[in-house]
Amino acid sequence: ISMADTGLVETLLRRVEKVDGGLDSQDVATSLGVDHQAIVGAVKSLLALGDVISAEQRSSKHWELTGEGCEIAEQGSHEARVVSSIPEEGMPQSQLMKLAFGKVGFSKAMSNKWIRLDKGHEGGPRIFKTVEHLEDLVRDKLLLVQKGQASQLEEKEKNELKKRKLLSEVTVKSYWITKGSCFSTTITKQETELTPEMIASGSWKEKKFKPYNFEALGVAPDCGHLHPLMKVRTQFRQIFLEMGFTEMPTNNFIESSFWNFDSLFQPQQHPARDQHDTFFLSDPAQAHEFPQDYLERVRKVHSEGGFGSQGYKYDWKIEEAQKNILRTHTTAVSARMLYKLAQQEKFTPVKYFSIDRVFRNETLDATHLAEFHQIEGVVADYGLTLGDLMGILHQFFNKLGITKLRFKPAYNPYTEPSMEVFSYHEGLKKWVEVGNSGMFRPEMLLPMGLPEGVTVIAWGLSLERPTMIKYGINNIRELVGHKVNLQMVYDSPVCRLDS
Amino acid sequence: MPTVSVKRDLLFHALGRTYTDEEFDELCFEFGLELDEITSEKDIISREQGDTKAEGASDVILYKIDVPANRYDLLCLEGLVRGLQVFKQKMEAPRYRRVSPASSEPQRLVITEETTAVRPHAVAAVLRNITFTQERYDSFIELQEKLHQNVCRKRTLVAIGTHDLDTISGPFTYTAKPPGDIRFKPLNQAKEYTAQELMSLYKTDSHLRHYLHIIEDEAVYPVIYDSNGIVLSMPPIINGDHSKISLNTKNVFIECTATDLTKAKIVLDMMVTMFCEYCEEPFTVEEAEVVYPDGRTCQYPELAYRKETLSADFINRKVGISESTEHIAQLLTKMCLRSEVMSDGEQIEVEIPPTRSDVIHACDIMEDAAMAYGFNNIPRTTPRTYTIANQLPLNKLSELLRQDLAAAGFTEALTFALCSQEDIADKLLKNISETRACRISNPKTAEFQVARTTLLSGLLKTVAANRKMPLPLRLFEISDVVLKDESKDVGARNNRRLCAVYYNKSPGFEVIHGLMDRVMQLLEIKPGQGNGYHIQAADDSTFFPGRCAEIFACGKSIGRLGVLHPDVINRFELTMPCSALDIDIEHFL
């Protein structure tokens, strides 16, 4: 409360103290003869102190004089002024009409019969007054309104004055002020914040504190933020770790066609190996080291068959296998890991996972980029079944909050059977594809040297798609790459996939 | 995945019943197909070329069905209907038979030595007394196109030519000649052209121009003549106009030329098995004889039926079910794999028809059994495989550092691993030769010329895209760059980097230096020489002279920090000073 207002505030408080019910701020202003806005200011300062007073806003209709009305209240009505300006000997009409109030006042005074007109007077029409004393009712009524006593007038009278543009009806906002639960006529200065001195001296006990505005937002903490896609990656890693899966070393974006395709029994003429689908390298263009006997078994199974397979019966070329590419899937790493596993003296069951970048030389659109993250899970053990694959997928997707799954037969060169995983999307009210899965083909596993009875089940999905669904992003460029809006990163919530 | 478009009512008529869209979608799902779209010719034209062009087009309902890439036997209405009818046990799978001509020698196709250089293989067959209708004819043409696009790998592996046998006379010669020596009237053209002229004529043909590269640079082009010197076709580009088939054609000569003989046999088998249904004697195909340059002869089509024996136990164990041998044999028969229980009651003899070239291993048979059983009827079980999880140490370290960098007030960026050469060299005032960058040979745009060798350019591009955000901007990324490395089998390796930038009205070297100190603290490395860390002035063209230092930890150089060169700032279209930190975190494993 500023010092200047203090007097008014205290006056207002004393007025409030005296009344039983409450009072209207407009009335206070009138009776104190101050501007209503000053009273409103005093009410607001008191409200900020807590429950000293309570004030309820109300609005009321109220009559006010117009500019012309004010003039009349001061100087009399036009007709009265006409009468008082005419001397005993009368006045030429033309002279009267020159006065500001002449025209209006003349006709009103005529109809009131306060004057008469002698048209035949020598020297032109002349006006004479017919009364000595008159009652200027219009002015009296306006004076009543000016004093705030408009209620003494009849509705009809007020409307008539309104028609003459002497009165207007305005809406007035005011406060109905009553005592609050902590009403007092003296005001203590309020503290804004607790200080160390107050704590030390205990003075806080005596002080009143200015209330906080809990409607306002707090100050944003000065902090860093993790990227939403990486937050989702962390959650997927967590899920795999909870399920006992070991992370594969996928930090090799450049891969030979051999590990990316040939080792997976993907034929050399397969469209995925086309220039239009895969990024090939010009430098370093070729890989130069392969496990030779394994490479020979791969060549054989492609070109001649074996391991129970007819093979593809084509001319397998080492030159195709040597071509370096940007890996098109992390399954290239799974192949390396399974080959490594097969070289162990004794087979041990494994569960592997990875989440890392893969690259496709594809046409780009709102949901496809040249690089994205692939999530992959692999289990190798004796006697695994298709039912096991579906069971493990069920558990995996359960952890993502996806409980309704169904499986569609599909084709993939390195898995047989292959299954597309669909989940029921409650929002879209339809089944949507959420991943791919299958059992690795014997033509892939047996040349590696894995034992005959070992089955390897695997599945994969992209990291971007569930993230886009989770965060409601429609264009992948709003999520990944340098064009993302950092505000999106700043504002992204924590990631709980199952809620 | 190839998409086959079939007329819905024609399909339902052939299936002998109607389905609602939902029912048919469900049937497709079960059978491994996908009802991709329900449309009409009118819809398609109006979507692609506007409503006015679509006026008068057919509004017959079309089903667009996605077919697995290895199921060439489902690429036309005839095949789809046969597959589904057998699956629903409405009919038995037909047996396809190769027959000799009733009263004459078989048609002969003689391959000459010259083809070896360009397209060495050819196979052929005859569909005798076939009856086409408009729909059958359209389907016949459409199947060739589908096979060309898929198994034929856009005609590189195999090209199909079909001819009205009654307009030509054998024996036929498959040879190769210099382009100037080949002259004929090609399909739907009014006059004769030499092969050379054709190649330039088709340069602008929206369809054929995609195949020209297959033979364009060869010294000789493949060509097939009849005994009177009439050109049947110039594979893999175009057929001759003379022998073109029509609705009235009764006898069709089919030739497939190829660079891959196995695929040629498959393609020929597909063409004849799909359409021999319309021959006077259904499901028979008249053989043709192919004579090789060395005098060997072969009869085609092969139409080979192969037998495999496997046990019910194998299928039960792999799928995770326990069905009787008889039931499994029934399931396989539903998938066009005619199966019989053998005398021991355990083994099943499975016959793989010529239409199922996708079945090359027992696992393919097992899949068909699982499909016929219904994937979604298989009980879902939990494997008992017991394993202990391990994190990759490098990823574990990265995850821990990411958390603490964010706690230090820096925000994580996620930038692309591929970029332009300019991004990693010119814009950073570096010469590309000093970057050890791996180059991509077939980028569609400059954004994919190289694999990044630094995270810095991605972060600066992120800053540039966010110039409107309040300053300062503090960004970091922990991710891989790729460097050439002769010691690796592929000649390159990834390198895990930590990069951070501070962008503000003042360079804030002290901020980025403080971040580096904090990282070292997190890694438990104390300031100092020897086993500690220290920085010393260094020259680096990316940084402002005198404002760059090299970071040493445990005696090894691990990266740099400093204030970026004003030219770097300009080249990334930035306006404020910026300091940066770039370290290799693999030293801390």
Side-chain angles (χ1 to χ4, degrees):
Chain A
I1 298 167
S2 76
M3 293 305 286
D5 296 333
T6 321
L8 185 58
V9 166
E10 284 175 353
T11 310
L12 176 62
L13 286 172
R14 279 194 299 276
R15 291 262 173 144
V16 176
E17 188 190 18
K18 281 182 201 143
V19 295
D20 283 333
L23 24 92
D24 187 275
S25 57
Q26 201 63 249
D27 297 340
V28 178
T30 315
S31 74
L32 288 177
V34 297
D35 187 37
H36 181 242
Q37 279 311 309
I39 303 295
V40 170
V43 167
K44 285 192 172 158
S45 340
L46 286 168
L47 286 173
L49 298 178
D51 273 338
V52 178
I53 58 162
S54 63
E56 181 193 329
Q57 205 170 34
R58 42 165 72 176
S59 63
S60 60
K61 292 269 173 90
H62 160 93
W63 291 93
E64 212 167 63
L65 301 193
T66 61
E68 197 182 349
C70 286
E71 194 189 315
I72 288 172
E74 202 177 307
Q75 300 181 25
S77 65
H78 303 312
E79 54 270 34
R81 288 171 79 185
V82 163
V83 172
S84 61
S85 53
I86 299 174
E88 286 304 316
E89 63 273 22
M91 182 188 269
Q93 190 185 19
S94 54
Q95 197 187 330
L96 177 71
M97 288 304 170
K98 281 179 192 148
L99 298 170
F101 47 84
K103 273 184 194 162
V104 184
F106 171 75
S107 55
K108 280 275 170 192
M110 283 294 283
S111 68
N112 286 353
K113 298 194 168 45
W114 289 348
I115 54 170
R116 69 179 172 84
L117 174 65
D118 182 0
K119 283 186 187 163
H121 200 88
E122 147 197 343
R126 202 173 175 90
I127 297 158
F128 299 91
K129 58 180 174 183
T130 56
V131 288
E132 276 309 312
H133 298 285
L134 51 86
E135 252 189 309
D136 190 351
L137 287 174
V138 172
R139 184 187 185 193
D140 294 347
K141 287 176 192 164
L142 290 176
L143 283 170
L144 272 178
V145 174
Q146 201 169 41
K147 283 186 207 139
Q149 294 162 14
S151 53
Q152 293 186 21
L153 296 179
E154 300 273 331
E155 247 355 79
K156 205 176 82 185
E157 294 173 310
K158 284 184 279 198
N159 284 329
E160 200 171 292
L161 290 169
K162 187 181 172 188
K163 216 176 281 173
R164 284 185 68 179
K165 297 205 168 71
L166 302 177
L167 275 190
S168 63
E169 199 173 20
V170 292
T171 305
V172 179
K173 292 220 153 63
S174 63
Y175 287 100
W176 182 250
I177 309 162
T178 53
K179 294 182 187 110
S181 58
C182 309
F183 183 78
S184 144
T185 51
T186 53
I187 332 157
T188 43
K189 184 174 162 281
Q190 286 188 312
E191 299 293 339
T192 47
E193 292 297 357
L194 191 63
T195 64
E197 291 73 22
M198 291 175 198
I199 294 168
S201 66
S203 66
W204 60 268
K205 290 174 198 157
E206 326 303 329
K207 307 231 183 230
K208 287 211 163 179
F209 290 85
K210 202 176 172 181
Y212 281 159
N213 175 12
F214 293 116
E215 301 295 320
L217 289 177
V219 177
D222 194 11
C223 62
H225 309 264
L226 294 173
H227 192 282
L229 189 76
M230 296 293 98
K231 291 197 229 188
V232 179
R233 185 181 71 175
T234 302
Q235 290 311 304
F236 273 102
R237 269 185 104 238
Q238 182 66 29
I239 288 170
F240 277 115
L241 294 170
E242 285 167 9
M243 292 175 70
F245 283 65
T246 285
E247 196 168 23
M248 292 189 274
T250 44
N251 53 332
N252 59 325
F253 295 165
I254 294 183
E255 188 54 279
S256 62
S257 294
F258 178 77
W259 288 107
N260 195 83
F261 297 121
D262 295 288
S263 70
L264 298 173
F265 197 53
Q266 196 150 351
Q268 294 189 328
Q269 313 89 340
H270 193 275
R273 304 181 70 153
D274 203 282
Q275 295 274 333
H276 296 295
D277 286 39
T278 297
F279 286 114
F280 286 84
L281 276 107
S282 56
D283 182 24
Q286 289 191 332
H288 49 74
E289 211 182 288
F290 302 100
Q292 277 309 317
D293 48 350
Y294 171 50
L295 179 122
E296 182 50 32
R297 291 193 295 269
V298 169
R299 184 197 65 74
K300 206 165 167 187
V301 78
H302 278 247
S303 55
E304 298 167 27
F307 304 102
S309 177
Q310 301 289 309
Y312 294 123
K313 302 200 173 89
Y314 70 98
D315 186 13
W316 188 87
K317 294 190 176 77
I318 176 78
E319 293 77 15
E320 279 300 320
Q322 282 173 324
K323 285 182 182 168
N324 272 337
I325 58 165
L326 280 156
R327 68 167 175 231
T328 62
H329 48 198
T330 49
T331 318
V333 178
S334 308
R336 283 180 183 264
M337 294 300 285
L338 290 169
Y339 172 74
K340 205 172 146 198
L341 176 67
Q343 308 319 300
Q344 283 181 188
E345 207 157 302
K346 187 175 181 302
F347 173 84
T348 48
V350 295
K351 292 199 286 221
Y352 289 138
F353 83 96
S354 66
I355 310 167
D356 213 335
R357 296 186 198 229
V358 297
F359 304 85
R360 307 269 169 96
N361 196 8
E362 281 182 319
T363 311
L364 313 181
D365 61 29
T367 53
H368 292 86
L369 288 174
E371 54 188 273
F372 63 94
H373 290 74
Q374 185 188 339
I375 302 169
E376 184 166 350
V378 178
V379 185
D381 200 355
Y382 282 102
L384 293 173
T385 68
L386 201 55
D388 286 337
L389 173 58
M390 292 173 17
I392 211 164
L393 282 166
H394 189 70
Q395 292 172 334
F396 177 79
F397 280 99
N398 236 324
K399 283 185 173 279
L400 305 178
I402 296 172
T403 50
K404 262 188 184 172
L405 285 187
R406 67 172 188 168
F407 299 89
K408 174 179 166 285
Y411 169 67
N412 183 342
Y414 47 87
T415 52
E416 190 79 11
S418 307
M419 303 190 295
E420 277 170 6
V421 189
F422 283 74
S423 89
Y424 191 75
H425 194 286
E426 296 292 348
L428 300 172
K429 295 267 172 264
K430 64 171 188 178
W431 292 90
V432 294
E433 195 195 325
V434 291
N436 261 296
S437 65
M439 285 181 162
F440 284 135
R441 293 190 70 97
E443 292 99 323
M444 166 182 166
L445 303 178
L446 296 175
M448 288 175 170
L450 285 169
E452 190 90 45
V454 168
T455 307
V456 182
I457 56 181
W459 73 98
L461 60 154
S462 96
L463 177 64
E464 279 78 356
R465 207 170 120 82
T467 306
M468 285 168 78
I469 294 169
K470 172 100 198 147
Y471 288 101
I473 295 169
N474 293 321
N475 187 334
I476 197 164
R477 283 169 188 75
E478 288 166 22
L479 176 68
V480 187
H482 57 267
K483 285 188 180 138
V484 300
N485 182 352
L486 285 174
Q487 195 64 48
M488 179 278 293
V489 178
Y490 294 168
D491 295 345
S492 77
V494 294
C495 172
R496 281 171 298 178
L497 291 171
D498 55 353
S499 65
Chain B
M1 211 190 268
T3 303
V4 181
S5 149
V6 294
K7 290 181 181 162
R8 184 194 62 185
D9 295 346
L10 216 56
L11 176 70
F12 288 173
H13 178 76
L15 290 173
R17 61 159 286 192
T18 58
Y19 291 83
T20 64
D21 292 339
E22 290 72 29
E23 284 167 347
F24 192 72
D25 183 57
E26 199 57 39
L27 175 62
C28 284
F29 194 95
E30 222 185 320
F31 196 57
L33 303 171
E34 200 170 325
L35 180 55
D36 186 47
E37 203 188 347
I38 301 163
T39 182
S40 72
E41 220 162 273
K42 195 171 189 171
D43 275 352
I44 297 169
I45 299 175
S46 116
R47 196 176 46 210
E48 288 169 359
Q49 303 169 36
D51 288 341
T52 43
K53 288 266 170 79
E55 263 172 55
S58 158
D59 44 17
V60 168
I61 306 243
L62 296 178
Y63 274 177
K64 291 200 153 190
I65 301 170
D66 280 349
V67 174
N70 62 341
R71 290 298 298 270
Y72 317 125
D73 60 318
L74 302 176
L75 289 175
C76 60
L77 176 80
E78 288 72 12
L80 274 173
V81 168
R82 240 173 268 164
L84 289 171
Q85 290 295 73
V86 175
F87 183 60
K88 300 302 281 180
Q89 292 171 297
K90 298 265 180 60
M91 66 179 267
E92 274 189 36
R95 279 199 79 80
Y96 306 100
R97 280 189 305 125
R98 183 173 75 197
V99 294
S100 303
S103 56
S104 61
E105 288 296 298
Q107 295 296 333
R108 300 178 92 196
L109 177 64
V110 181
I111 305 179
T112 73
E113 189 68 51
E114 290 80 4
T115 60
T116 317
V118 49
R119 202 171 180 85
H121 307 290
V123 293
V126 174
L127 288 174
R128 185 65 73 181
N129 290 323
I130 192 165
T131 306
F132 280 124
T133 62
Q134 188 64 51
E135 267 101 20
R136 292 171 184 181
Y137 179 84
D138 292 346
S139 178
F140 187 71
I141 302 294
E142 189 56 28
L143 176 63
Q144 289 177 58
E145 182 54 22
K146 286 278 178 274
L147 291 169
H148 275 153
Q149 291 310 313
N150 295 287
V151 56
C152 304
R153 298 289 302 114
K154 295 180 179 150
R155 304 192 188 178
T156 53
L157 300 183
V158 188
I160 311 161
T162 54
H163 309 277
D164 187 335
L165 183 58
D166 300 324
T167 65
I168 45 181
S169 61
F172 306 102
T173 308
Y174 175 42
T175 184
K177 284 188 168 186
D181 298 352
I182 302 172
R183 190 178 168 81
F184 67 105
K185 187 164 104 179
L187 196 61
N188 302 330
Q189 292 289 337
K191 60 172 191 123
E192 290 196 347
Y193 293 85
T194 66
Q196 256 161 347
E197 289 164 346
L198 279 180
M199 295 304 264
S200 60
L201 178 70
Y202 292 144
K203 275 269 182 310
T204 53
D205 186 297
S206 64
H207 180 55
L208 294 177
R209 66 190 164 97
H210 301 293
Y211 309 118
L212 303 182
H213 73 96
I214 304 171
I215 55 167
E216 206 167 25
D217 299 328
E218 302 289 344
V220 289
Y221 288 2
V223 61
I224 303 176
Y225 292 99
D226 83 345
S227 58
N228 299 317
I230 288 169
V231 171
L232 272 66
S233 63
M234 184 177 84
I237 312 295
I238 190 81
N239 287 351
D241 195 62
H242 181 92
S243 59
K244 76 174 170 202
I245 63 164
S246 71
L247 271 182
N248 303 319
T249 299
K250 297 308 292 176
N251 300 302
V252 184
F253 180 68
I254 304 175
E255 38 86 4
C256 298
T257 56
T259 54
D260 181 321
L261 180 60
T262 313
K263 292 279 194 294
K265 292 178 191 171
I266 291 171
V267 169
L268 184 65
D269 278 353
M270 287 303 155
M271 284 302 298
V272 298
T273 52
M274 292 300 115
F275 286 90
C276 59
E277 174 178 359
Y278 303 132
C279 288
E280 196 172 51
E281 197 180 331
F283 304 116
T284 64
V285 184
E286 184 180 304
E287 69 183 9
E289 189 175 76
V290 172
V291 184
Y292 288 92
D294 62 5
R296 251 177 339 115
T297 62
C298 281
Q299 268 66 46
Y300 291 107
E302 276 197 341
L303 295 183
Y305 282 81
R306 186 174 95 241
K307 293 213 163 143
E308 297 271 358
T309 304
L310 43 78
S311 67
D313 178 57
F314 164 79
I315 287 174
N316 280 326
R317 268 191 297 112
K318 288 287 180 191
V319 179
I321 51 177
S322 45
E323 294 302 306
S324 68
T325 314
E326 288 73 19
H327 188 220
I328 287 172
Q330 274 168 22
L331 292 174
L332 290 172
T333 305
K334 277 175 73 175
M335 302 303 289
C336 291
L337 302 175
R338 195 182 299 227
S339 298
E340 275 172 26
V341 179
M342 294 175 76
S343 54
D344 67 352
E346 167 57 19
Q347 302 287 310
I348 303 171
E349 189 179 66
V350 186
E351 186 184 57
I352 293 114
T355 45
R356 293 299 306 274
S357 60
D358 58 299
V359 177
I360 56 175
H361 192 280
C363 69
D364 297 306
I365 299 170
M366 177 265 285
E367 180 185 58
D368 273 27
M371 273 168 68
Y373 185 81
F375 280 2
N376 296 297
N377 299 325
I378 300 168
R380 298 172 188 184
T381 47
T382 303
R384 282 170 300 175
T385 309
Y386 181 80
T387 52
I388 302 287
N390 281 307
Q391 302 184 52
L392 187 72
L394 182 59
N395 289 356
K396 186 175 182 175
L397 175 66
S398 301
E399 285 285 295
L400 292 170
L401 284 177
R402 283 176 57 239
Q403 300 286 340
D404 271 313
L405 284 174
F410 281 70
T411 290
E412 187 173 35
L414 177 64
T415 67
F416 297 126
L418 305 184
C419 59
S420 68
Q421 176 175 311
E422 199 191 9
D423 285 339
I424 54 162
D426 312 37
K427 282 179 164 181
L428 292 175
L429 307 177
K430 293 256 195 264
N431 195 318
I432 188 70
S433 60
E434 58 181 306
T435 59
R436 291 202 280 160
C438 297
R439 267 168 204 282
I440 293 163
S441 66
N442 58 333
K444 283 183 183 142
T445 68
E447 293 167 272
F448 313 118
Q449 287 173 328
V450 292
R452 67 179 170 200
T453 54
T454 170
L455 301 178
L456 183 58
S457 26
L459 288 185
L460 292 177
K461 289 202 280 187
T462 308
V463 173
N466 284 278
R467 278 174 303 199
K468 285 186 188 142
M469 295 296 288
L471 294 174
L473 285 177
R474 286 177 285 243
L475 297 180
F476 82 94
E477 184 169 11
I478 298 182
S479 190
D480 284 348
V481 301
V482 183
L483 303 171
K484 282 204 278 180
D485 182 347
E486 270 304 302
S487 71
K488 299 287 169 186
D489 59 349
V490 296
R493 69 177 164 88
N494 282 22
N495 181 217
R496 186 72 44 96
R497 294 281 179 83
L498 181 166
C499 187
V501 295
Y502 178 80
Y503 181 73
N504 201 3
K505 289 189 181 111
S506 63
F509 179 80
E510 68 288 353
V511 176
I512 218 77
H513 189 184
L515 182 71
M516 191 270 293
D517 290 331
R518 173 68 184 144
V519 170
M520 292 302 148
Q521 190 178 48
L522 291 167
L523 293 167
E524 292 186 273
I525 299 176
K526 297 204 161 45
Q529 309 274 338
N531 282 332
Y533 76 94
H534 69 280
I535 63 174
Q536 72 185 42
D539 278 334
D540 188 315
S541 49
T542 302
F543 294 90
F544 199 34
R547 296 278 187 279
C548 171
E550 187 161 9
I551 309 161
F552 291 88
C554 308
K556 274 187 262 174
S557 167
I558 59 157
R560 299 211 163 152
L561 81 169
V563 177
L564 294 182
H565 196 286
D567 286 342
V568 173
I569 303 279
N570 280 328
R571 287 175 192 204
F572 282 94
E573 292 170 356
L574 298 175
T575 50
M576 300 282 166
C578 181
S579 51
L581 165 70
D582 179 6
I583 59 176
D584 171 355
I585 63 165
E586 291 183 22
H587 293 285
F588 306 106
L589 285 175

